[in-house]
Amino acid sequence: SLGICYIGGVEADGKTPKDTRTQEQKSSLKAMLLELKSVYCDAIVHSHSDFSTKRCPSFDATSEYEWISKYYDAEEEV
């Protein structure tokens, strides 16, 4: 298992979850996930909240990056 830490994701009150990622952060995360997937072909992207009652990250990484989880599987079938 590998963990990627995203710092941020809350409203100004410091408590309420909010997706505060910039376009640059989203692009960097996508590039990192694709690079990791090329090395760890069986990897599946999950949100921390899939495994605990926490509300982090402040976005649904499992759904957002589901296509990456399936990326190399589809390439191998071609």
Side-chain angles (χ1 to χ4, degrees), residues 10-74:
V10 292
E11 292 277 1
D13 64 12
K15 298 176 186 176
T16 307
K18 179 182 180 184
D19 186 356
T20 58
R21 295 174 295 161
T22 64
Q23 261 325 112
E24 292 82 7
Q25 287 173 312
K26 290 179 182 182
S27 295
S28 294
L29 180 56
K30 177 181 157 186
M32 181 186 306
L33 291 172
L34 285 169
E35 184 174 340
L36 288 169
K37 182 67 173 175
S38 73
V39 175
Y40 304 101
C41 298
D42 293 331
I44 300 171
V45 178
H46 287 283
S47 295
H48 184 218
S49 57
D50 292 345
F51 303 100
S52 72
T53 56
K54 305 215 182 254
R55 293 194 273 177
C56 56
S58 55
F59 58 96
D60 185 355
T62 305
S63 294
E64 185 170 334
Y65 299 112
E66 180 179 26
W67 66 274
I68 292 176
S69 295
K70 298 177 180 179
Y71 185 73
Y72 284 94
D73 293 338

